[in-house]
Structures are given as structure tokens and as C-alpha cells.
Amino acid sequence: MHKIAVLPCDGVGPEVVAEGLKVMAATELYDVKYELVEYDIGGERYLRTGEVMPDSVMEELGQCDAIYLGAVGHDEVPPGILEQGILLKLRFGFDQYVNLRPIKLYPGVATPLKDKGPEDIDFVVVRENTEGFYAGMGGQLKAGTPDEVAIQTGVYTRKGTERIIRYAFELARKRGKARQLTMVDKANVLTHGHDLWRRTFAEVGQEYPDIKQENAFVDACCMWFVKNPEWFDVVVTTNMFGDIITDLGAMIQGGMGVAASGNINPEGVSMFEPIHGSAPKYRGKNVICPVAAICAAGMMMEHLGEVAAAAAIEGAVARALASGKLGDLSTRSGVKTTEAGDLIASLVE
Ligand code: IPM
Ligand code: MN
């Protein structure tokens, strides 16, 4: 029995999570045994009680087998409070050091890239998820005065760098596609931190002679994601760069409506979520595409070892997208969130 914590959180989170759970329920023929425990976390609770993420909830989440999260961010809460207090607290607190973000263009989905199709866009970004500029190191001096100073430091540890690079090498092997790993950095400017990344990559790379190893600067990487996405198989990068390039990645795979992610601690509690935000202005309107959240549920099933159920979800998503019945996957598609979920659930086989 898998114990799955469900955190719908803010904005459109609850709506897309409901569709993900609907599609999970439709895999019952695979006899996956799971129990859902829902938590009332997010902007509403914060506004009501002042609590962001109580220790008692963290403790209970630590007893679960996986966390399924909707989206974080509330229009009446200043930016940062919920992002740091919920999302980053979970990622850091459970040491989910891998942020796995597949960039896959499904047949039937439109990409803004001219002359590129599903055979060209199929790679995975492995984003470091616990260090870099997200570590919160630094401070402000004389804030709000003309003399103010702000310092925000990127943190890179040998341990943190090595484990994410090793994970990416293993993934390149497991995928068995081009057997290629590209490390994305800015070693030509960030000569301290990203030198550590380069040296670690070269060193760990010696253990993987079967994997082709490449370096790319992050600016050039943005160019190639657009110009030659077919060059990529597995990409490993730092936390901030991974955040940025996966929004670009989401666009080339058909939009935020389809981009899913896993925050993974291979030895601990992992968390699965769509990469889109809470989109407060669409809350309750039943217009958000739930495919990303449904794909995140599929990634969660796979992580829990339910490979057949995961494949069934992926298959249903692929068939729904290929049918053209989901429209352009935007909020203006004319397809309701619940209808999209119904369709995908009905296509599980
Ligand atoms: C993401 C989001 C988060 C991040 C925000 C909400 C803190 O943009 O998951 O990509 O920057 O990691
Ligand atoms: Mn982001």
C-alpha cells in the first residue's frame, strides 16, 4: 500500500490535482494499492491562521511514500512566503536533490519550433534542486536606504554536485537513447562554482565511458533548445539555470499545460508536480489544462515502482493528445479541465 500525501495548495492547483487523481483511479485494473492523505496547505490557510508549513505536517509527510503537489502561490500573499515556506521547504527538507523535468513533444501537440517534431524533442533536464542561488545565502545591509547592499551567493558543494551528476549519468544509461549527457553551466564567468561542476563532471564521467559527454554554456543552450533540440538526450544543470531553461523547454514541448516534474530523493520522500504555477486569475474557472499534473501523477506511479500503471497513464495522455480533442492546451482551448481529465481517464487501458 503506497501512502500518498496530496497537497493541492493554491490557485488552480486543486483543479489539476483532482484530474490527476481521477486518472490514477482509472488505472485500477493494474491493482495499484494506494491511500491518499490530503493536507490543507497553502495561501488560504496562511491567510486564515498564519501557518505556512507546520512541523507536524512535515513530520507526517516524512512518513509518506510520495507527495503529489498542485501549485503554490496566492495573489494576496507577498511573493516568496509560500514559495519558500512550502515548495522550497519540501524540496530542501526532504533533500529532494533531483528535479527531473522531461521535455517531450507528444504527437498531435503543436510546438512553436518550425520544422521540428516529436522525433526532435525528447530529452530530460536533470536540475540540481537543493543548492545554488536557491540556498538563500546572503543578506541585506542598510536596506531601503541609498547606501543599501544586497548579496546573494550561489552555493555549490562537492557532494551536491557529484550526486546530481552521477544521477544524470545513470539516467543517460537507463534511457538508452543517444547515451549522451550535456552539462549546462556558465563556467566561463562563474569561475569558482562552475569550475567545481566542470571538474566533477569530468571526474565522474570517467566512470561512464559509454556515455558521450558534452559541456554547453547556458546562453548557448537556450539557443540550441530552439535551433537544435534533437541534440539533447539528458541535460544536467544547476538549480537556477535548470529553473530557467525548463520554462523554455516547456514551451517547445507544447506549453506549460504539458510540462511535469519530479522532485526526487532516491533514498527518501519524493514529490511530483506540474511545473506551472498557481495561475490565480484562472482559479475555479475550469479552464486550465491538467495534462501536466496528470503526467506528474504518471511519474509518481513510475517512481513508486508501478511501472504498468505509469505506462498506462502515459499511453492515455498520448492518445488524448493525438486525438486533437484537447485543443491547443491553453486556457482558451475551449476544453474544460474536468473534460480533459475525463477524456484521459477514459483512454486508460
Ligand atoms: C519551479 C518554480 C519554483 C522554482 C518557484 C515557484 C519557487 O518556478 O518549480 O520551477 O523556482 O523552482
Ligand atoms: Mn520555474
Side-chain angles (χ1 to χ4, degrees):
M1 174 78 90
H2 308 293
K3 196 166 171 188
I4 299 172
V6 181
L7 278 67
C9 297
D10 303 316
V12 298
E15 291 165 62
V16 296
V17 157
E19 301 314 308
L21 296 178
K22 185 188 280 177
V23 175
M24 267 168 64
T27 66
E28 65 193 342
L29 63 158
Y30 294 96
D31 208 28
V32 180
K33 298 263 187 290
Y34 62 88
E35 174 199 351
L36 302 173
V37 192
E38 189 170 324
Y39 289 89
D40 170 27
I41 290 293
E44 297 291 334
R45 176 170 181 170
Y46 172 71
L47 292 170
R48 210 168 59 237
T49 69
E51 287 176 308
V52 180
M53 176 59 85
D55 291 344
S56 60
V57 174
M58 282 300 278
E59 219 159 279
E60 286 183 38
L61 295 178
Q63 306 303 312
C64 291
D65 298 302
I67 302 169
Y68 186 43
L69 183 130
V72 170
H74 193 289
D75 41 8
E76 287 158 49
V77 180
I81 294 179
L82 302 171
E83 291 83 348
Q84 283 184 353
I86 300 174
L87 197 57
L88 299 186
K89 179 152 181 169
L90 290 164
R91 289 177 183 170
F92 293 177
F94 294 118
D95 202 20
Q96 294 161 345
Y97 66 84
V98 182
N99 194 324
L100 202 58
R101 298 190 156 184
I103 312 292
K104 179 178 162 103
L105 178 67
Y106 282 92
V109 177
T111 175
L113 301 189
K114 186 160 64 70
D115 305 329
K116 300 293 177 191
E119 61 293 350
D120 303 306
I121 302 173
D122 183 8
F123 58 95
V124 183
V125 175
V126 176
R127 165 188 177 189
E128 202 292 320
N129 212 28
T130 56
E131 303 191 339
F133 288 109
Y134 281 69
M137 293 283 278
Q140 295 187 338
L141 183 66
K142 303 183 189 175
T145 75
D147 296 327
E148 75 177 315
V149 179
I151 295 177
Q152 188 105 30
T153 310
V155 178
Y156 306 98
T157 67
R158 170 71 198 210
K159 176 185 160 190
T161 306
E162 186 168 331
R163 66 184 180 175
I164 193 69
I165 287 173
R166 199 172 286 283
Y167 185 94
F169 270 116
E170 290 292 332
L171 181 64
R173 250 187 203 164
K174 196 169 129 223
R175 261 169 73 84
K177 275 197 75 199
R179 304 179 77 83
Q180 176 193 311
L181 178 60
T182 307
M183 188 174 86
V184 170
D185 59 44
K186 190 73 185 175
N188 51 344
V189 174
L190 303 179
T191 48
H192 309 304
H194 291 195
D195 174 60
L196 170 61
W197 272 70
R198 287 255 166 149
R199 280 184 288 111
T200 307
F201 185 59
E203 229 170 273
V204 175
Q206 293 192 346
E207 295 169 39
Y208 297 88
D210 53 317
I211 305 297
K212 195 168 157 225
Q213 302 166 26
E214 305 207 306
N215 292 101
F217 295 131
V218 65
D219 47 350
C221 162
C222 290
M223 173 178 72
W224 287 323
F225 269 21
V226 173
K227 196 169 164 282
N228 297 99
E230 68 280 5
W231 286 355
F232 296 97
D233 178 16
V234 178
V235 171
V236 66
T237 191
T238 62
N239 205 342
M240 180 70 84
F241 288 171
D243 176 48
I244 297 167
I245 66 175
T246 54
D247 268 29
L248 178 57
M251 288 302 114
I252 69 172
Q253 71 179 131
M256 280 296 172
V258 292
S261 75
N263 301 269
I264 293 169
N265 175 343
E267 292 91 40
V269 184
S270 299
M271 172 168 78
F272 299 83
E273 54 168 338
I275 88 163
H276 65 68
S278 61
K281 71 175 175 182
Y282 296 115
R283 171 180 46 204
K285 297 211 156 69
N286 203 12
V287 295
I288 286 282
C289 174
V291 170
I294 293 168
C295 289
M299 290 177 77
M300 177 164 69
M301 283 290 160
E302 177 160 5
H303 179 80
L304 291 170
E306 303 293 352
V307 189
I313 293 177
E314 160 130 24
V317 166
R319 281 189 288 280
L321 292 169
S323 75
K325 290 182 189 157
L326 295 181
D328 71 358
L329 311 175
S330 78
T331 52
R332 299 168 310 279
S333 68
V335 182
K336 293 195 177 359
T337 309
T338 45
E339 290 168 356
D342 287 343
L343 175 69
I344 295 170
S346 75
L347 291 171
V348 171
E349 52 187 50

